[in-house]
Amino acid sequence: MSNPFREDLVSRSPAEPCSIVIFGATGDLTHRKLIPALYNLAVDGELPTGVKIIGFARREKSDAEFRDGLELLNKKVSRSGHDPQIWENFIQSVSYHQSEFTDEEGYRALAEKLDAEQGGKGGNRLFYIASAPEFFDEILLLLKKTGLNHAKPGCWSRVIVEKPFGTDLATAKHLNEVVRNTFQEKDTFRIDHYLGKETAQNLMVLRFANSIFEPLWNSTYISHIQITCAENLGMEGGRGGYYEKSGALRDMVQNHLLQLLSLVAMEPPTDLTADGVRDEKVKVIRSLRPWDTPEKVAANVVRAQYSAGHIDGNPVPGYREEDRVSPESKTEAYVAVRLLIDTWRWSGVPFYIRMGKRLPKKSTEISVHFKPAPGVLFNTPGQGVSGGNVLVIRIQPDEGISLRMISKIPGNNLRLEPVKMDFNYATSFGKGSPEAYERLLLDSIVGDATLFARRDEVEEAWKFIDHIEHAWHQSGNPPEMAEYVAGSWGPRQADKLLMEDGNQWRRL
Ligand code: BG6
């Protein structure tokens, strides 16, 4: 029975008209993700009328040139295709504002433009900081200095901060301070696009809207959990320059994979408010056993680079031969970590996460491996089918959920085989899922921060990651850099990590 006093917990405020200012508007993210997401919201009728989009960047460009570039990319990547009529309508709301990120005058001119566009009434403002990270501070400081951070009465002013949110705990804390001096926490949206993926959102529903999973979701029934994020791409498009300074651990584990982990491992929140959910998520990260010595890092973390190999039959270079990568690089393109969560629920259950570039295919999934049924009747050791039930949550592609069960093969003999019960989003609901950025942009317009990282989540995650980075780069005794052939499933050291516990990576 629904509880009439709690309706506010799931209802959403309506999306109000606003001006969206994108810093770093000539970049890849704006062209490939943000504008197509806003366009698709318009296609679905979800973008409030009266939304204005202003691209803020350093390059000289006219509105027309800016719009042409956006159209070119939208035609290529838009989820729902490109409808010239809807686009024409949509693109009228998009303009370009040229300024250095460090030039106060540019911000004053922006303020005038916003006032003029919004009929001198101020209006709602959403600032999306998607520039190169070295400008994040300066942009926030100048938004404050020019008063753009202040909403006029009855309106709101919010900020979305793209990743990377710092490069370690110290820089993340510093950035959090700069943000806090400029915007209130309720108006701050630290984006992690994995939280906007439909299947990631479904994790809480799967766990807490069904009664069959949660009673088993603990160390009594679960043997271990794996989270894999495989990519077949390498360092195309000059990405090597960025990646060299980041590496797999900071690029994907600190944010996306620890966020998925916290959704899988969290306790049920008391309500669905942004803080209700984030209070529980942060507890998971805080409970991670720290790998705080080089020895613990060597025992629980594997890092690796790929050597030359083949992807889909085509030859590809090794990591150190990639464009903008140093031949002596010490940056990992693959990382696997064994995590232990020191809580009552998860005591003794290892979580394994791995992320790698140039693996055989692009695929992200979470697999929950249940303990086998007792070894009597059908599961006597050495007979029957080995392994227990496995619940697989496919984050992408082919979004869905499957359950491995042991079943009898039809016939007069008693022979067993694992079978798969499969739920596929596209076939069950007859339509594809929206892109993560669509949901997240809409949520920030609505003011719902549930799917965004809170300050303490980001800092707790860095605390865990910093120990590992320290062991790799600053200790006198750095653990080895393993190697795998591009197009293979990663280094043998990562297989060994699981074998030590009697487990193995699921084959994707
Ligand atoms: C980004 C990382 O945050 O996520 C990239 O910087 C990575 O290195 C990308 O490729 C993966 O996102 P998705 O949505 O394609 O899985």
Side-chain angles (χ1 to χ4, degrees):
M1 209 172 72
S2 72
N3 180 340
F5 300 110
R6 314 217 77 183
E7 271 174 7
D8 57 314
L9 301 181
V10 281
S11 69
R12 286 159 68 83
S13 329
E16 293 172 333
C18 61
S19 295
I20 305 175
V21 180
I22 304 175
F23 292 93
T26 48
D28 224 34
L29 185 77
T30 305
H31 285 73
R32 286 185 179 277
K33 297 287 180 189
L34 304 185
I35 294 295
L38 289 163
Y39 165 76
N40 276 289
L41 286 174
V43 172
D44 290 347
E46 304 242 38
L47 196 66
T49 37
V51 160
K52 302 269 188 236
I53 301 159
I54 301 177
F56 186 120
R58 294 181 290 178
R59 256 175 256 170
E60 286 288 351
K61 245 181 219 280
S62 65
D63 283 351
E65 283 166 336
F66 182 51
R67 290 171 177 175
D68 288 349
L70 298 177
E71 182 173 4
L72 212 64
L73 249 288
N74 195 65
K75 281 183 176 159
K76 281 196 198 145
V77 302
S78 159
R79 170 175 70 85
S80 67
H82 183 91
D83 179 320
Q85 224 169 345
I86 303 180
W87 177 261
E88 213 28 60
N89 246 337
F90 166 78
I91 203 67
Q92 292 312 317
S93 63
V94 180
S95 62
Y96 187 71
H97 184 76
Q98 189 278 326
S99 167
E100 292 293 323
F101 296 124
T102 50
D103 178 9
E104 194 175 321
E105 275 320 302
Y107 291 70
R108 298 210 181 276
L110 173 68
E112 276 169 30
K113 190 168 184 173
L114 284 170
D115 280 344
E117 264 187 354
Q118 296 172 328
K121 287 196 299 293
N124 301 317
R125 290 151 183 192
L126 180 61
F127 298 102
Y128 196 128
I129 305 187
S131 64
E134 59 265 32
F135 296 111
F136 286 10
D137 280 18
E138 193 68 17
I139 292 171
L140 286 157
L141 292 171
L142 285 171
L143 284 175
K144 182 173 178 179
K145 193 159 183 202
T146 52
L148 279 162
N149 59 333
H150 275 301
K152 307 232 165 106
C155 300
W156 48 258
S157 186
R158 298 184 184 133
V159 68
I160 303 180
V161 186
E162 251 303 331
K163 67 175 280 248
F165 203 93
T167 51
D168 58 14
L169 178 60
T171 50
K173 274 189 164 165
H174 168 78
L175 182 55
N176 268 327
E177 268 316 293
V178 180
V179 175
R180 193 176 72 91
N181 287 328
T182 315
F183 290 91
Q184 294 182 43
E185 181 66 28
K186 73 170 177 54
D187 294 320
T188 303
F189 295 77
R190 296 172 194 80
I191 208 159
D192 186 312
H193 78 280
Y194 265 59
L195 290 178
K197 291 186 189 278
E198 196 63 49
T199 340
Q201 293 173 48
N202 198 23
L203 270 168
M204 272 212 293
V205 179
L206 174 81
R207 289 188 54 197
F208 305 132
N210 295 291
S211 60
I212 60 169
F213 298 118
E214 204 44 30
L216 309 181
W217 212 260
N218 55 52
S219 61
T220 310
Y221 296 101
I222 291 179
S223 116
H224 70 279
I225 293 182
Q226 303 182 11
I227 304 180
T228 295
C229 177
E231 292 189 15
N232 49 6
L233 290 181
M235 297 297 129
E236 294 84 348
R239 231 178 124 65
Y242 156 77
Y243 209 74
E244 274 287 89
K245 289 190 246 131
S246 166
L249 187 71
R250 289 196 280 199
D251 183 46
M252 296 284 291
V253 178
Q254 185 273 338
N255 36 55
H256 309 325
L257 297 196
L258 288 187
Q259 285 290 339
L260 290 182
L261 173 88
S262 61
L263 288 170
V264 176
M266 71 196 264
E267 296 299 318
T270 45
D271 57 44
L272 291 175
T273 55
D275 281 332
V277 173
R278 297 187 298 180
D279 283 347
E280 294 307 329
K281 276 167 57 207
V282 72
K283 283 188 206 160
V284 174
I285 315 279
R286 202 178 290 143
S287 310
L288 287 174
R289 190 175 301 174
W291 301 141
D292 53 4
T293 62
E295 293 71 33
K296 287 184 201 167
V297 171
N300 294 290
V301 187
V302 173
R303 60 174 171 163
Q305 293 176 337
Y306 49 85
S307 55
H310 289 81
I311 300 273
D312 293 334
N314 301 315
V316 293
Y319 179 70
R320 291 180 176 196
E321 290 114 50
E322 293 269 22
D323 182 25
R324 302 191 204 180
V325 172
S326 151
E328 271 101 52
S329 172
K330 293 192 165 52
T331 302
E332 77 289 355
Y334 174 102
V335 63
V337 190
R338 169 173 36 222
L339 301 143
L340 294 174
I341 302 174
D342 285 324
T343 59
W344 185 277
R345 183 191 285 260
W346 294 119
S347 176
V349 179
F351 285 70
Y352 307 104
I353 57 185
R354 60 177 164 163
M355 185 290 134
K357 300 279 182 191
R358 289 277 192 237
L359 299 182
K361 60 176 175 180
K362 182 164 174 68
S363 177
T364 303
E365 67 156 50
I366 299 169
S367 54
V368 181
H369 299 249
F370 291 87
K371 291 182 177 167
V376 291
L377 305 181
F378 306 120
N379 292 305
T380 33
Q383 294 173 16
V385 183
S386 63
N389 301 108
V390 182
L391 180 71
V392 177
I393 299 145
R394 294 188 301 273
I395 305 287
Q396 63 185 23
D398 186 24
E399 290 88 343
I401 297 173
S402 71
L403 180 64
R404 175 193 196 259
M405 295 183 305
I406 312 295
S407 177
K408 177 180 174 300
I409 303 174
N412 294 332
N413 296 327
L414 182 61
R415 282 169 43 232
L416 310 182
E417 205 175 88
V419 290
K420 219 166 68 171
M421 242 169 68
D422 208 11
F423 148 65
N424 178 285
Y425 271 72
T427 44
S428 292
F429 294 114
K431 59 175 187 179
S433 306
E435 283 273 327
Y437 277 98
E438 294 174 38
R439 171 67 197 256
L440 296 174
L441 276 160
L442 194 59
D443 279 5
S444 49
I445 295 174
V446 167
D448 180 354
T450 313
L451 300 178
F452 293 81
R454 203 170 58 186
R455 175 181 183 147
D456 49 351
E457 286 181 83
V458 171
E459 293 185 5
E460 290 293 338
W462 276 123
K463 239 182 245 174
F464 179 79
I465 297 297
D466 272 7
H467 290 305
I468 302 174
E469 290 285 342
H470 185 271
W472 285 349
H473 301 295
Q474 283 152 43
S475 72
N477 179 21
E480 70 165 329
M481 176 72 77
E483 201 178 284
Y484 60 104
V485 178
S488 73
W489 275 107
R492 60 183 169 71
Q493 288 86 336
D495 297 336
K496 201 169 140 270
L497 189 71
L498 270 68
M499 264 151 37
E500 288 164 4
D501 301 335
N503 297 322
Q504 55 184 10
W505 291 109
R506 212 182 86 80
R507 229 187 282 159
L508 269 73

